[in-house]
Amino acid sequence: MISPFLNGQGGALPPQLQVDGVNDVKIGILAVQGDFAAHAEMLDTLGAETLEVRTPADLGGCDGLILPGGESTTQLQFLQEEGLFDAIRNFATAGGAIFGTCAGAILLATSVKNPAQASLGLLDMTVLRNAYGRQLASNVFFGPSKLTDVPMELVFIRAPVIDSVGPGIEVLAEYGGKPVLVRKANVMAATFHPELTRDSAVHRRFLELVQASPRRSAFVAQ
């Protein structure tokens, strides 16, 4: 895997421009497994503060939350055992912005198949687990998106497939005729790993959702 701050020849990339107004934004990242550290590096470069989330108390002071990749069954069990399952649902209901990548996208779906699994049910979409088989399948492709003028780099690692989406779901990027980046209101999901690329467009869009979210607006108004 390529760090978002290394190019293909191993050289360091130049720092990316920070996003205006996020210096006091705190993004929680579920730190159970997966590339939570890579998400933190990307957000740090964009000027946002990050916090590793493992308990409901950790989530309390966050403006936004990222559910990273990993193994969705393991993460679901952790959320349920630690009281984070209900805490995350309440966070979303209160207007907190949430972004799930790969396994995180599975956790956000309203319907999970292949095999079926419980989920947070925060995005009206059907997701197929193990869509490319259970083997370690990792590929890098490029596909169209609404975030950039050029095809977006898409890093897939044992990726699920968004098989269908419900009304009001905005498709922000596609590959192979299927959505790979979607959002509705303050919740966003990707079946790929933007934290493993050099392109900050997806994290920038998430920070925009955080800044515009009801939870963040209420905090600023205090």
Side-chain angles (χ1 to χ4, degrees):
M1 298 179 189
I2 299 175
S3 165
F5 304 105
L6 295 178
N7 61 26
Q9 289 72 45
L13 292 174
Q16 302 187 48
L17 296 176
Q18 294 193 344
V19 177
D20 291 339
V22 300
N23 58 309
D24 61 344
V25 167
K26 181 180 291 186
I27 306 299
I29 306 173
L30 182 66
V32 179
Q33 56 177 203
D35 294 307
F36 57 88
H39 280 290
E41 288 181 48
M42 181 72 82
L43 290 169
D44 179 69
T45 301
L46 295 175
E49 181 182 355
T50 61
L51 172 71
E52 294 183 359
V53 171
R54 296 185 180 88
T55 68
D58 294 334
L59 184 59
C62 296
D63 300 298
L65 173 68
I66 289 181
L67 303 176
E71 208 292 308
S72 62
T73 303
T74 300
Q75 293 191 16
L76 177 64
Q77 181 178 358
F78 180 87
L79 296 182
Q80 292 171 331
E81 291 177 350
E82 299 301 321
L84 274 165
F85 187 89
D86 289 335
I88 291 173
R89 287 177 58 86
N90 292 337
F91 182 84
T93 300
I98 301 178
F99 175 35
T101 60
C102 199
I106 295 173
L107 293 174
L108 290 174
T110 51
S111 177
V112 179
K113 299 180 179 180
N114 193 36
Q117 177 179 297
S119 62
L120 293 163
L122 297 176
L123 272 179
D124 185 7
M125 61 182 183
T126 297
V127 171
L128 306 181
R129 300 174 61 207
N130 304 309
Y132 302 105
R134 294 177 180 273
Q135 73 277 12
L136 290 175
S138 303
N139 293 285
V140 179
F141 300 105
F142 290 85
S145 81
K146 294 182 179 180
L147 306 188
T148 61
D149 295 330
V150 297
M152 177 173 287
E153 184 178 3
L154 309 170
V155 178
F156 294 105
I157 303 174
R158 289 180 294 173
V161 164
I162 298 176
D163 191 52
S164 63
V165 296
I169 298 289
E170 181 184 11
V171 177
L172 297 173
E174 295 182 346
Y175 178 76
K178 292 292 186 180
V180 296
L181 179 65
V182 298
R183 69 164 285 271
K184 184 174 183 179
N186 52 307
V187 182
M188 186 167 75
T191 58
F192 61 100
H193 290 264
E195 76 280 7
L196 298 180
T197 75
R198 295 176 288 170
D199 187 351
S200 64
V202 175
H203 287 81
R204 286 174 178 271
R205 175 54 62 92
F206 178 59
L207 289 176
E208 291 173 1
L209 294 184
V210 173
Q211 290 174 300
S213 68
R215 181 181 177 90
R216 177 63 184 170
S217 298
F219 171 80
V220 173
Q222 292 178 357

